[in-house]
Amino acid sequence: MNTLLLKPCCFIVIFALIIIAMADSAPKSIASDSSAPAVHIIYTEKPQEEEPETYHIRTLTAVLGSEDAAKEALLYSYKSAASGFSAKLTPEQVAQISKQPGVLQVVPSQTVQLHSGPNKLH
């Protein structure tokens, strides 16, 4: 068997192993502690008789115990395309707020990297 044909194959295998090793050693999320607060998006029913932000703070207050804590945890109120808000919550608080009246869904916030074409338009 020709050893020249094995060299490109070995290079590809070594390159793949290096990529896998780099992916495994990538820094993990700072909030890897399972009890640490993380940003979540809370989708709610559209409030009928009050301003959305007031409704969002009231919903958070029911879980966090005070309006001040709710205002501190609230990061953003969504009012146009969707009804809801984002807030920093612990896993226990996520479980509690999921049971609140008017809460439709609670999902962890994610940041995604958009990939562009060869010209990398940013």
Side-chain angles (χ1 to χ4, degrees):
M1 184 181 273
N2 190 349
T3 58
L4 291 176
L5 294 176
L6 293 177
K7 288 183 181 181
C9 181
C10 291
F11 173 77
I12 292 171
V13 170
I14 291 170
F15 181 74
L17 290 173
I18 290 171
I19 296 298
I20 291 169
M22 288 174 61
D24 285 343
S25 66
K28 304 297 181 216
S29 171
I30 293 173
S32 62
D33 181 9
S34 63
S35 63
V39 177
H40 286 77
I41 299 173
I42 297 89
Y43 294 97
T44 64
E45 294 175 349
K46 189 172 184 175
Q48 299 300 314
E49 298 181 17
E50 63 185 319
E51 289 297 315
E53 189 169 344
T54 303
Y55 176 71
H56 301 154
I57 290 171
R58 185 169 54 81
T59 303
L60 268 173
T61 299
V63 171
L64 302 180
S66 76
E67 191 172 314
D68 288 339
K71 287 179 180 179
E72 187 175 320
L74 182 70
L75 301 175
Y76 189 80
S77 282
Y78 301 98
K79 303 168 191 150
S80 300
S83 180
F85 57 95
S86 61
K88 278 188 124 178
L89 302 170
T90 65
E92 182 180 309
Q93 292 166 338
V94 168
Q96 290 175 4
I97 204 158
S98 297
K99 298 173 187 171
Q100 294 297 309
V103 172
L104 304 174
Q105 184 179 23
V106 180
V107 295
S109 179
Q110 296 180 343
T111 302
V112 293
Q113 180 70 36
L114 296 178
H115 298 281
S116 59
N119 295 331
K120 300 240 181 206
L121 301 173
H122 294 274

